[in-house]
Amino acid sequence: MTDTQKPVRVRFAPSPTGKLHVGGARTAIYNWAFARATGGTFVLRIEDTDPTRSTEENTQIILRAMEWLGLDWDEGPGVGGAYGPYFQTQRTDTYQKALDAMIATGRAYPCFCTKEQLDAKRAIAEAEEGGYAGYDRTCRKLSPEEAQARIDAGEPHVWRLAVPENHGPVTFEDAVYGHMSFPADVMDDMILKRSDGTFTYNFAVVCDDVNMQMTHIIRGDDHLSNTPRQVLIYEALGAEVPMFAHLPMILGADGHKLSKRHGATNVEQYRDEGYLPEALVNYLALLGWSLDGETTIIPPEKLGQSFSLERISKKHSIFDVAKLNWMNGVYLREMDENAWLEAAAPWIARAAALGAEAEGGAVVVPETQEPAKDSPLGEDGAEDDAFAAAVAAIIEDIKEDTAAYAKIYPLIIERLERLDQIPAKIAYLFWGANVQLDEKSVKKVLQKEGARAEEALRACRDVLAREDLPWEAEPLQEACRALCEPLSMKPKLLFQPLRVAVAGNMVSPPLFESIELMDPEDVLARIDGTLATVFGGEE
Ligand code: GLU
């Protein structure tokens, strides 16, 4: 579909009026992947021309999110390049130069009409049949001498594009929508430069895309209505019109445009919720593009080899969190233990720090109690200083003692979908001699009528207290299992009370593998605590 033999140059051009959201990230991914797949150049340009809404903080957030996603740019902030600067606010002189060139060729003219005059004309036109058809080109009829005289006299003015009379349809090629054609007569002489000296968005974007020699413009289809106007500017500049690819919208499960209502849309929030960047890139890439209609696991590297504009769909796509979670789980399981441990360290550390807060022997935690927060960053990144320091210290500890912490991996990897699920899953490993008993599990397992839970627990305790058994999952499990026959108890009835007493919950990672990781004295203390709390028996 490439209509040019020139090396591909594409750009992602976010406006730092907000953070990097899922839709923008998908646009960035497609540009990045297209550049990589074609051996082209990926440019990052910050469109910070709206001074009231652009912030330096948002720029930094966008750059950070791009880095986290692994979307490395060949030219742009931080790396420079031959076509810089890469911030629009630093490119004003290039816009003036382009305007000067257009003035010289008669493709731009000054307009002195005041807002009041324009409003009045609009009101009259709207009342008439046919309605308002745009600026009536009053000032286009001024002689160059008169226009210059009024400029010299200091009369406020804007600069407008002179759309050629009898321009046929405005056309361009779109890799997604095909050949596009719009009637030119509905497009008025748009403003290029405002009376306050600033340049308009459509003009600045085209100047940049021309000067930065973009070959393809890949962006959201919310920009589709800008494109015919921009094409007129390309023509006026005598520049080649690039190939466009307007991307279909991403919708929430309810069919509405993806927004805050649908939960996280900001990329860094996904990081904080324990998604892997590779999984998020893979998932977002498939929202509007497919490799072959069926392959779902396409790691970024493969995406960067196989992406093509031809396979972008015209149809909108639906953001499906369940599918993203599933995909994240696949990526988590594909990591080797060391890589996993590095990614999981902040969450394991949080589990350990949370676990260290447990106290009071065996405590029944009411069902109504709010579950502990899972994110390692806490609300807005703010967290209790002491807690944060404890987490940081444990992260260091994990780096030192990878072999010990790597043992957690097989315990939870099978069902893990997001790293932020880790603290809730493994906090019990760090409770020491204490145990936080989940009220529901206590009722359903320990206090269930006829379950003989106390008997089971006492029998298992005796086995675990034996000094002749190695403190390893298998022999401990086998020795406990051997109790089934003499007690005439099914394994489940025997093991579930032990699980609750040790892990606090009837749903936990593999029991004996967990026990192996714990201190024998702690395990026995938890069982004793549970017996005392739930059955009131003396130990
Ligand atoms: N700055 C625009 C935005 O953030 C993108 C402009 C473009 O891609 O042409 O929506």
Side-chain angles (χ1 to χ4, degrees), residues 4-30:
T4 163
Q5 295 309 309
K6 280 192 279 179
V8 164
R9 286 182 58 82
V10 287
R11 85 303 195 272
F12 175 52
S15 304
T17 52
K19 298 171 177 157
L20 184 61
H21 289 260
V22 158
R26 198 244 342 227
T27 300
I29 291 166
Y30 284 13

Side-chain angles (χ1 to χ4, degrees), residues 147-315:
Q148 193 56 49
R150 290 172 72 172
I151 292 172
D152 292 344
E155 192 172 335
H157 59 281
V158 301
W159 287 89
R160 287 184 183 273
L161 173 74
V163 177
E165 305 280 358
N166 308 318
H167 189 296
V170 181
T171 63
F172 60 90
E173 301 304 318
D174 191 290
V176 181
Y177 288 89
H179 179 74
M180 300 292 278
S181 177
F182 295 80
D185 54 9
V186 300
M187 273 171 271
D188 68 355
D189 289 354
M190 77 190 96
I191 296 174
L192 305 171
K193 185 180 185 184
R194 301 183 190 92
S195 56
D196 65 2
T198 60
F199 293 90
T200 56
Y201 165 75
N202 276 320
F203 184 56
V205 168
V206 175
C207 290
D208 288 346
D209 287 337
V210 170
N211 288 330
M212 294 184 175
Q213 303 204 9
M214 292 301 145
T215 56
H216 298 73
I217 307 296
I218 306 170
R219 62 185 175 198
D221 68 5
D222 48 331
H223 286 284
L224 197 51
S225 59
N226 283 326
T227 306
R229 295 170 166 278
Q230 294 186 359
V231 168
L232 287 172
I233 301 174
Y234 279 100
E235 290 175 359
L237 287 170
E240 197 179 321
V241 179
M243 167 70 94
F244 290 89
H246 286 96
L247 310 176
M249 263 206 266
I250 303 175
L251 306 179
D254 57 0
H256 287 103
K257 195 173 178 236
L258 204 62
S259 74
K260 281 206 185 109
R261 282 181 300 116
H262 299 97
T265 59
N266 154 23
V267 167
E268 290 201 313
Q269 217 168 317
Y270 287 90
R271 178 200 63 193
D272 296 347
E273 288 178 1
Y275 291 94
L276 297 174
E278 297 82 4
L280 189 58
V281 167
N282 185 158
Y283 180 71
L284 293 179
L286 292 178
L287 293 180
W289 174 85
S290 80
L291 179 63
D292 51 18
E294 53 187 31
T295 310
T296 45
I297 300 300
I298 307 167
E301 200 194 334
K302 183 157 177 218
L303 181 68
Q305 289 159 358
S306 51
F307 185 83
S308 67
L309 299 180
E310 287 81 355
R311 293 206 58 90
I312 297 176
S313 156
K314 250 198 251 270
K315 256 182 53 201

Side-chain angles (χ1 to χ4, degrees), residues 299-372:
E301 200 194 334
K302 183 157 177 218
L303 181 68
Q305 289 159 358
S306 51
F307 185 83
S308 67
L309 299 180
E310 287 81 355
R311 293 206 58 90
I312 297 176
S313 156
K314 250 198 251 270
K315 256 182 53 201
H316 63 248
S317 42
I318 305 281
F319 192 89
D320 177 355
V321 180
K323 190 164 173 201
L324 169 62
N325 287 346
W326 166 80
M327 194 173 278
N328 202 54
V330 171
Y331 274 85
L332 284 169
R333 278 183 283 288
E334 277 179 9
M335 289 174 115
D336 68 29
E337 272 182 26
N338 288 334
W340 180 85
L341 189 60
E342 201 182 319
W347 279 273
I348 294 175
R350 184 175 172 84
L354 281 173
E357 288 180 347
E359 53 185 24
V363 183
V364 179
V365 183
E367 280 175 62
T368 47
Q369 187 164 316
E370 283 273 305

Side-chain angles (χ1 to χ4, degrees), residues 11 46 51 95 138 200 258 290 331 363 379 391 427 446 474 518 532:
R11 85 303 195 272
I46 303 295
Y95 307 146
T138 303
T200 56
L258 204 62
S290 80
Y331 274 85
V363 183
E379 280 300 316
V391 171
L446 299 181
E474 245 194 73
M518 293 161 58

